[in-house]
């Protein structure tokens, strides 16, 4: 193992004695670069963070998405601190709840109501229940390779599942409208909901936009068949369009789910829906010990305010494009094609010469060792704190890392 | 799943995944070699449903030939898959019909003794597992069985075929130690092959067990594999989801060849 990450490994050793897997879920070392990446963070600031071994990273993952304005954003933290002084967890929601739902409903074009929770999976799972309640149907259609959380109907894991968990969950491939039509014909009158992402962002594969007519085609079929269309905008929400990524891609869902960027790191998620689903939504029980916590709501209100005030979405698109252009040039310089895919502010990069990610893993490991956190398998995230200078510094590291790899490969 | 379908799959697994393990057992076990000294024989198992496999035993190992072989000395026919499955699962049933090699039927005692020896290798007690030398054989032997079983299930079981179609595909190699001989499986629709030794193509994912204790535990579903990957005891290089996908399939194999007892 790499001594560069000695303290990370020591902590992991301690953790694995008391926690199954040591670190679980998407942050497990097994999902990134075991032994060749940091395992534990200490602090962050702007677009940078420091690990337990004292290494500084220009971060291109932003906490896997939640950090859109930068770590420890002073205005967001101040809003959160102000609310914390008043209190966080009560017997009731606070006015922040009403303010935030009102704000979200005003931002999302089709929305008439909203609910708040903590994580993305809270609201995607709740949304499919609302679809079932509204339609009195059982089946849910989703896309192959999509991610919607860790509940039994959708978890990418395989432990603890029984066949009945997914008896009524069916898949089709991204951009295969005919396959969706086929499912609809096969299960006509049985399909409660279709859950999609605004663009396809699987791990270990290029991101993919909807082909012309695909997303609107899905919407049209859903309307004709009485199927509730759910847009899982957990990953892209507020990075592409303040009103939801569906606006960017030209379709209108019945429910949209947000999380990640909504609170700039404070735990909060939301689902917003149409008036037609209001009664069904009122019948599907939702709650959690901390779902009404006021501090994350105050943070979310401030985050939304800054996103609009500072024109953050346009800025991170531009920043992401600078990164993309730079990486493509670096690839060309070293004779290795680096392919960008997905939106510039939520991009995925891949060395096109291989499909097994071995070189990609080496390249990202070299970059991490030099101070840029580049994920080899998952899409990256750009935040407002990335300046042109940060991007250029990140590109220099990516360049040096690839040069070191090429020496080994050639 | 209907019991007839289950029995068909179980029979297929025993014929094409479990019994071929006898080759590794004979190569590793002096006891098995002694059983075969001056006692070479061959047997072909057939079922009326069309399954068949032949095994040619020598002190050097067991050559497995999928499908019936006319040169096998003994031929035994199972009238139903249920009868075959019960026989291989050591449940009460009537014996198969000999259709060839009546005079050599006494050799089947050796076959039974060999399968008992195979069981001792595949389901070792703690004392056996404590030996490094034993684990060096046990790990690839068990891995080879599991990979053959996955390939068979992907060919024959609807849910496995669906799982295969839904997940990542490619060539996966598993090995004990950096220089260990890999066992591999090409998990691609319509191309399910497995084997031992370095595959001709570069694997899409390579799983290296750096510790034989952990590898044995992992194969018996007794290891925290996530931790092992994190601390480097298991190295997964390349297309990680393919290894994860395969692992999920391998875990389901056990339910067929060693089903849990009903309460």
């Amino acid at each position: 193992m790499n001594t560069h990450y000695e303290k990370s490994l020591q902590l992991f050793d301690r953790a694995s004695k008391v926690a199954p897997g040591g670190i679980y879920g998407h942050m497990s070392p097994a999902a990134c670069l075991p032994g060749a990446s940091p395992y534990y963070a200490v602090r962050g600031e702007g677009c940078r963070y420091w690990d337990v071994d004292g290494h500084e990273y220009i971060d291109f993952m932003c906490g896997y998405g939640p950090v859109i304005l930068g770590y420890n954003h002073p205005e967001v933290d101040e809003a959160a601190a102000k609310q914390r002084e008043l209190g966080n967890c009560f017997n009731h929601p606070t006015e922040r709840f009403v303010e935030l739902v009102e704000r979200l409903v005003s931002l999302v074009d089709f929305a008439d109501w909203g609910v708040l929770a903590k994580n993305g999976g809270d609201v995607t799972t709740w949304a499919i229940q609302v679809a079932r309640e509204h339609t009195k149907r059982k089946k849910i259609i989703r896309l192959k390779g999509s991610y919607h959380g860790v509940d039994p109907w959708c978890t990418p894991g395989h432990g603890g599942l029984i066949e009945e968990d997914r008896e009524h969950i069916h898949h089709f491939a991204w951009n295969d409208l005919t396959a969706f039509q086929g499912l609809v014909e096969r299960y006509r009158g049985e399909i409660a909901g279709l859950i999609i992402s605004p663009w396809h962002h699987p791990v270990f594969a290029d991101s993919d936009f909807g082909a012309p007519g695909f997303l609107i085609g899905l919407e049209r079929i859903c309307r004709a068949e009485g199927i509730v269309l759910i847009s899982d905008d957990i990953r892209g929400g507020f990075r592409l369009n303040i009103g939801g990524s569906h606006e960017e891609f030209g379709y209108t869902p019945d429910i949209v789910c947000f999380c990640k960027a909504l609170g700039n790191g404070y735990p909060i998620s939301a689902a917003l829906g149409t008036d037609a689903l209001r009664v069904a939504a009122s019948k599907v029980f939702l709650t959690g010990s901390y779902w009404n916590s006021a501090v994350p709501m105050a943070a979310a209100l401030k985050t939304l305010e800054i996103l609009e005030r500072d024109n953050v979405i346009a800025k991170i698109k531009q920043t992401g494009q600078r990164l993309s252009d730079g990486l493509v040039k670096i690839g060309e310089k070293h004779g290795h094609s680096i392919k960008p895919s997905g939106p510039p502010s939520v991009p995925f990069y891949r060395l096109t010469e291989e499909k097994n990610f071995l070189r990609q893993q080496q390249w990202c490991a070299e970059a991490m060792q030099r101070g840029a956190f580049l994920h080899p398998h998952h899409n990256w995230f750009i935040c407002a704190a990335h300046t042109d200078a940060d991007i250029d510094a990140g590109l220099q590291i990516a360049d040096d890392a690839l040069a070191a790899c090429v020496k080994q490969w050639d | 799943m209907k019991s007839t379908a289950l029995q068909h799959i179980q029979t297929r697994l025993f014929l094409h995944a479990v019994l071929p393990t006898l080759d590794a057992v004979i190569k590793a076990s002096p006891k098995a070699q002694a059983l075969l000294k001056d006692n070479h024989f061959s047997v072909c198992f057939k079922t009326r449903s069309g399954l068949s496999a032949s095994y040619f035993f020598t002190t050097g190992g067991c050559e497995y030939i999928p499908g019936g072989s006319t040169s096998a000395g003994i031929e035994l026919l199972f009238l139903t898959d249920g009868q075959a499955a019960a026989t291989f699962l050591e449940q009460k049933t009537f014996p198969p019909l000999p259709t060839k090699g009546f005079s050599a039927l006494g050799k089947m005692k050796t076959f039974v003794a060999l399968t008992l020896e195979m069981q001792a290798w595949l389901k070792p007690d703690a004392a056996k597992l404590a030996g490094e030398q034993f684990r060096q054989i046990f790990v690839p032997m068990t891995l080879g069985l599991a990979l053959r079983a996955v390939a068979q299930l992907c060919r024959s079981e609807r849910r496995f075929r669906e799982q295969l179609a839904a997940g990542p595909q490619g060539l996966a190699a598993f090995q004990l130690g950096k220089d260990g001989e890999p066992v591999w499986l090409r998990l691609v629709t319509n191309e399910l092959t497995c084997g031992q030794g370095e595959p001709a193509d570069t694997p899409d994912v390579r799983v290296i067990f750096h510790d034989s204790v952990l590898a044995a535990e992992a194969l018996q579903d007794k290891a925290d594999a996530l931790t092992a990957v994190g601390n480097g005891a298991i190295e997964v290089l390349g297309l990680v989801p393919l290894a994860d996908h395969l692992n999920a399939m391998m875990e389901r194999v056990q339910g067929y060849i060693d089903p849990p007892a009903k309460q």
Side-chain angles (χ1 to χ4, degrees), chain B residues 152-172:
Chain B
Q152 289 298 324
L153 283 169
C154 286
R155 283 195 188 102
S156 58
E157 213 252 279
R158 182 180 61 86
R159 281 190 190 277
F160 259 79
R161 277 199 302 276
E162 285 172 0
Q163 218 177 330
L164 169 66
Q169 303 191 357
L171 176 62

Side-chain angles (χ1 to χ4, degrees), chain A residues 141-143 171-186 188 191 194 196 209-223 225 227 229 251:
Chain A
I141 310 294
R142 56 177 293 205
L143 285 148
H171 299 75
F172 71 106
W174 178 258
N175 271 336
D176 192 347
L177 192 59
T178 311
F180 178 63
Q181 182 69 58
L183 285 170
V184 168
E185 280 164 20
R186 186 172 171 188
R188 178 152 282 137
I191 302 170
L194 165 67
I196 58 170
F209 293 122
F214 175 63
L215 291 165
I216 195 70
L218 294 177
E219 182 189 339
R220 203 170 292 136
I221 295 169
C222 286
R223 299 274 169 263
E225 301 287 337
I227 297 167
L229 178 57
Y251 68 98

Side-chain angles (χ1 to χ4, degrees), chain B residues 28 56 83:
Chain B
F56 293 78
Q83 181 196 7

Side-chain angles (χ1 to χ4, degrees), chain B residues 100-173:
Chain B
K100 184 184 169 189
F102 299 93
S103 60
L105 280 177
K107 301 275 189 187
M108 290 310 290
K109 280 186 184 168
T110 307
F111 177 81
V112 171
L114 286 169
T115 58
L116 288 173
E117 177 64 1
M118 177 172 70
Q119 271 192 31
W121 278 83
L122 292 175
K123 291 180 180 178
D125 56 27
K128 267 191 177 172
L129 265 176
E132 175 68 27
Q133 216 178 345
F134 178 86
R135 292 193 302 269
Q136 290 287 337
I137 297 164
F138 170 79
V139 169
M141 183 188 282
T142 311
L143 268 170
L145 190 163
L147 295 184
R148 283 192 298 273
V150 167
Q152 289 298 324
L153 283 169
C154 286
R155 283 195 188 102
S156 58
E157 213 252 279
R158 182 180 61 86
R159 281 190 190 277
F160 259 79
R161 277 199 302 276
E162 285 172 0
Q163 218 177 330
L164 169 66
Q169 303 191 357
L171 176 62

Side-chain angles (χ1 to χ4, degrees), chain A residues 1 9 12 16 20-23 28-30 34 39 158 163 204 355-358 361, chain B residues 159 202-204 224 226-227 229-232 237-241 244 247-248 251-252:
Chain A
M1 299 296 264
L9 291 164
F12 185 76
S16 61
I23 303 171
S28 162
Y39 289 4
H158 48 81
E163 286 172 1
F204 282 89
K355 64 182 180 78
N356 59 16
F357 285 81
L358 278 167
Q361 288 162 355
Chain B
R159 281 190 190 277
T202 307
D204 297 303
D224 178 346
L226 266 188
T227 292
V229 172
N231 65 26
L237 301 165
L239 199 58
V240 182
D244 190 44
N247 182 39
E251 282 180 6
R252 287 189 56 203

Side-chain angles (χ1 to χ4, degrees), chain A residues 147-212:
Chain A
Y147 178 80
H148 302 293
V150 295
D151 285 318
W153 71 272
C154 61
T155 176
H158 48 81
L161 298 177
I162 55 172
E163 286 172 1
E164 288 82 351
D165 287 331
R166 297 182 182 188
E167 203 178 332
H168 297 293
I169 307 294
H170 304 273
H171 299 75
F172 71 106
W174 178 258
N175 271 336
D176 192 347
L177 192 59
T178 311
F180 178 63
Q181 182 69 58
L183 285 170
V184 168
E185 280 164 20
R186 186 172 171 188
Y187 299 114
R188 178 152 282 137
E190 296 180 66
I191 302 170
L194 165 67
I195 184 162
I196 58 170
S197 304
W199 78 97
H200 195 41
H201 40 65
V203 289
F204 282 89
D206 294 339
S207 294
D208 200 2
F209 293 122

Side-chain angles (χ1 to χ4, degrees), chain A residues 56-292:
Chain A
E56 177 183 339
Y57 300 91
I58 304 170
D59 187 11
F60 292 101
M61 286 305 287
C62 298
Y64 287 78
V67 177
I68 188 167
L69 299 175
Y71 291 105
N72 291 349
H73 191 277
E75 288 179 84
V76 176
D77 287 355
E78 190 190 341
K82 251 185 185 169
Q83 179 59 47
R84 196 177 294 114
E85 281 172 22
L86 295 171
N88 180 38
C89 184
F90 298 103
N91 297 335
H92 320 279
T94 66
E95 197 174 347
R96 298 296 86 70
F97 172 88
V98 184
E99 289 168 351
L100 181 56
V101 177
E102 282 176 346
R103 186 84 190 92
L104 287 167
V105 167
S106 76
L107 287 172
V108 175
D109 53 3
F110 71 87
D112 299 303
W113 52 259
V115 297
L116 303 177
K118 287 285 119 185
N119 286 289
D122 298 337
V123 283
T124 53
T125 293
W126 180 80
I128 70 161
Q129 284 183 266
V130 172
R132 283 172 165 162
E133 175 60 31
H134 178 70
T135 59
K136 310 295 183 198
R137 299 171 181 172
K138 289 181 179 175
K139 295 197 179 294
I140 298 294
I141 310 294
R142 56 177 293 205
L143 285 148
K144 282 181 189 169
S146 61
Y147 178 80
H148 302 293
V150 295
D151 285 318
W153 71 272
C154 61
T155 176
H158 48 81
L161 298 177
I162 55 172
E163 286 172 1
E164 288 82 351
D165 287 331
R166 297 182 182 188
E167 203 178 332
H168 297 293
I169 307 294
H170 304 273
H171 299 75
F172 71 106
W174 178 258
N175 271 336
D176 192 347
L177 192 59
T178 311
F180 178 63
Q181 182 69 58
L183 285 170
V184 168
E185 280 164 20
R186 186 172 171 188
Y187 299 114
R188 178 152 282 137
E190 296 180 66
I191 302 170
L194 165 67
I195 184 162
I196 58 170
S197 304
W199 78 97
H200 195 41
H201 40 65
V203 289
F204 282 89
D206 294 339
S207 294
D208 200 2
F209 293 122
F214 175 63
L215 291 165
I216 195 70
L218 294 177
E219 182 189 339
R220 203 170 292 136
I221 295 169
C222 286
R223 299 274 169 263
E225 301 287 337
I227 297 167
V228 175
L229 178 57
I230 302 161
S231 184
D232 176 345
D233 206 5
I234 307 295
R235 214 172 291 188
F238 310 112
R239 271 193 165 80
L240 270 61
N241 189 307
I242 194 76
S245 306
H246 59 276
E247 278 199 44
E248 209 63 11
F249 296 108
Y251 68 98
T252 307
D254 301 299
I255 301 178
V256 63
C257 301
F258 294 120
C259 185
K260 291 199 185 290
L262 176 56
N264 197 50
Y266 287 85
I268 190 154
S269 61
L272 292 102
T274 60
D275 212 29
L277 298 175
R278 188 188 294 267
V279 173
S282 72
K283 287 183 186 174
V284 181
F285 194 69
L286 78 157
T287 193
S289 296
Y290 300 101
W291 285 20
N292 285 301

